[in-house]
Amino acid sequence: MPQPANPQPLTPQEAPALSSPALTATCPTCDSGPGVLCTSHSGTRWRRDSVHRARTAALPASG
């Protein structure tokens, strides 16, 4: 699925999800790569406030 265009870099204040540790993993739901925000279910918008639950679950357990 193509990623939506990102016309300018976002800050963590504009997109709180950028601070999520889950961004180190690829999202199994929307296929966004490490360091890239998840997309909406339709793939037309960036999810700025959160990541998909499956992405968080994909993180290795810290121990």
Side-chain angles (χ1 to χ4, degrees):
M1 175 179 303
Q3 297 286 317
N6 190 5
Q8 61 185 10
L10 298 171
T11 66
Q13 291 75 26
E14 297 168 314
L18 288 171
S19 300
S20 173
L23 283 187
T24 60
T26 296
C27 182
T29 302
C30 66
D31 293 324
S32 288
V36 180
L37 292 171
C38 287
T39 61
S40 62
H41 292 287
S42 61
T44 58
R45 293 177 288 114
W46 295 108
R47 288 179 60 135
R48 295 178 181 207
D49 295 314
S50 63
V51 297
H52 289 111
R53 289 184 203 174
R55 190 173 202 171
T56 301
L59 284 175
S62 57

